Amino acid sequence: MAVENWVAKEVAELTEFRRDLHMNPELLYDVTRTAQKVAEALRAAGVDEVHEGVGQTGVVGVIQGQGNGSGRMIGLRADMDALPIIEETGAPYASQTPGKMHACGHDGHTTMLLGAARHLAESRAFDGTVIVIFQPAEEGGAGARAMIEDGLFTRWPCDEVYAMHNRPNLPVGQFTINSGPIMGSVDELKITITGRGGHAARPEQTIDPLPIAGALLQAVQTLTSRNMDPIDSAVISLCTIQAGNAFNVIPQDLTMTGTVRTLREEVRDMIEMRLETMVGNIAAAYGAVGTLEYTRHYPVTVNHERETELAAMAAQEVAGIENVHLDMPQTLGGEDFSFMLNEVPGAMINVGNGPSAGLHHPRYDFNDEVIAWGSSYWTTLVRQRLPLT
Ligand SMILES: [Zn+2]
Ligand SMILES: [Zn+2]
């Protein structure tokens, strides 16, 4: 019970690797430097095959175990991209690119998986094949989907797939996980109301889109309070309104944008359908035209039950039973790993980042003490899932 011995001698080097990524954050699919660093490190570690450019800038490493009697294959996934945030950590290794920052710890995720890959390539003490997956564009770009569409699971048909995210304010050395829906679907909506513009003193000659927006703002909230089973969870947030540019002119059009989050695909379908009806009909009631553009980004992230137990078992071996919590709270934040979980059974676990600012905060930083725990989790998981007979 503790981190694995091999990690101790690697931690300094891995910390250096993590801080180099932190200094050089890249956004979405533009993770070319990061992907190159990862690919170089995998080759240097003697990983059997390194494939670059999977899903534009994703990297896949293939590591064969000593035994291959099992014929089994498991996928381990990390994300590589940063966020458009101005860093305020004041760290000596802070971002060197103003406006870009590793504020979600993906620098740490990449490093922990790389650490595990290096060890697995050296020891080979498992029976089967391990695929290490480094994806671009987790933060809103659906990089996981891009990798899947580029044949990720047809070229490497994994039996199981796992991911890990750090969790601020969970103590270092602790893990948390839960099965079922753990994170929300993420959708974007844009409502356009087209009325008739005119003089502010002659409203009878216009169709003013503003009161329609007022009616809609109130009405959409009844979708969660009146149309949804109260035991279900969802949120509809309308976050921007744009209309008009003069104090004495009634504008012709108005647009609103917002997001819908749910924990069940059926609820998601219901909200999309009802929104469509509401926008069109409420606008029509006032004599205007209302249209809804509804864009589905990420599906609900659903941890599979069996793989959740298996992930917890690996974490328990690393951290001790008392340090693995099986009651990870659900959130309506989204996670791109959901696309992979819709293809292959698997689970995402959270690892404690210790006291820290929240994810996406300008003072957030990945805690380097977590590297040993995360890398140990990965190698333990492989040893347990692909045991040598
Ligand atoms: Zn994030
Ligand atoms: Zn993240």
Side-chain angles (χ1 to χ4, degrees), residues 79 104 106 109 138-139 165 335 360:
D79 37 17
C104 205
H106 299 183
H109 303 165
E138 192 287 322
E139 300 286 3
H165 206 291
E335 169 58 59
H360 297 202

Side-chain angles (χ1 to χ4, degrees), residues 188-195 208-210 212-214 216-217 238-244 251-258 279 289-293:
E188 184 180 338
L189 59 95
K190 184 179 176 193
I191 295 168
T192 307
I193 300 165
T194 307
D208 187 352
L210 283 145
I212 306 173
L216 262 174
L217 277 172
L238 289 172
C239 301
T240 73
I241 299 189
Q242 271 162 345
Q252 174 100 359
D253 316 289
L254 178 146
T255 58
M256 292 193 274
T257 63
V279 170
V289 175
T291 54
L292 172 71
E293 232 174 87

Side-chain angles (χ1 to χ4, degrees), residues 101-355:
M101 175 191 178
H102 268 294
C104 205
H106 299 183
D107 48 349
H109 303 165
T110 296
T111 303
M112 293 189 291
L113 185 55
L114 177 68
R118 281 164 51 151
H119 179 67
L120 292 169
E122 192 190 319
S123 80
R124 311 266 171 177
F126 56 94
D127 183 356
T129 308
V130 172
I131 304 297
V132 286
I133 304 163
F134 296 87
Q135 77 150 83
E138 192 287 322
E139 300 286 3
R145 186 175 60 197
M147 291 188 82
I148 293 166
E149 285 171 356
D150 201 6
L152 178 65
F153 293 129
T154 46
R155 290 156 84 180
W156 301 286
C158 295
D159 298 297
E160 296 162 23
V161 66
Y162 296 91
M164 174 163 42
H165 206 291
N166 77 94
R167 190 175 193 94
N169 300 315
L170 178 69
V172 174
Q174 295 193 12
F175 292 82
T176 185
I177 193 166
N178 210 340
S179 67
I182 55 164
M183 297 182 81
S185 57
V186 179
D187 296 338
E188 184 180 338
L189 59 95
K190 184 179 176 193
I191 295 168
T192 307
I193 300 165
T194 307
R196 185 163 63 236
H199 200 293
R202 305 295 297 270
E204 80 284 4
Q205 296 177 355
T206 73
I207 298 170
D208 187 352
L210 283 145
I212 306 173
L216 262 174
L217 277 172
Q218 304 220 23
V220 298
Q221 296 308 332
T222 65
L223 294 180
T224 49
S225 67
R226 303 290 86 185
N227 290 154
M228 190 177 86
D229 182 337
I231 307 303
D232 270 319
S233 302
V235 65
I236 304 168
S237 291
L238 289 172
C239 301
T240 73
I241 299 189
Q242 271 162 345
N245 46 28
F247 86 99
N248 55 357
V249 177
I250 291 171
Q252 174 100 359
D253 316 289
L254 178 146
T255 58
M256 292 193 274
T257 63
T259 185
V260 174
R261 312 291 175 105
T262 74
L263 283 175
R264 217 152 61 77
E265 294 295 335
E266 291 80 1
V267 175
R268 188 187 198 188
D269 294 342
M270 182 278 286
I271 289 179
E272 181 181 356
M273 207 183 70
R274 293 282 300 133
L275 267 174
E276 185 87 48
T277 309
M278 222 169 220
V279 170
N281 287 303
I282 289 179
Y286 289 79
V289 175
T291 54
L292 172 71
E293 232 174 87
Y294 192 96
T295 311
R296 292 184 169 223
H297 290 299
Y298 293 174
V300 181
T301 305
V302 184
N303 269 351
H304 296 237
E305 200 175 328
R306 173 174 168 270
E307 286 68 26
T308 299
E309 280 169 25
L310 297 169
M313 220 186 289
Q316 284 167 352
E317 187 179 322
V318 175
I321 287 172
E322 68 282 10
N323 290 318
V324 180
H325 311 286
L326 303 175
D327 57 354
M328 183 166 79
Q330 296 170 317
T331 81
L332 289 172
E335 169 58 59
D336 195 13
F337 186 55
S338 51
F339 286 108
M340 297 196 187
L341 289 176
N342 282 353
E343 302 289 320
V344 175
M348 167 176 263
I349 198 166
N350 276 191
V351 60
N353 195 50

Side-chain angles (χ1 to χ4, degrees), residues 7-17:
V7 187
K9 66 180 197 329
E10 300 278 335
V11 158
E13 219 175 293
L14 289 172
T15 299
E16 205 180 305
F17 187 89

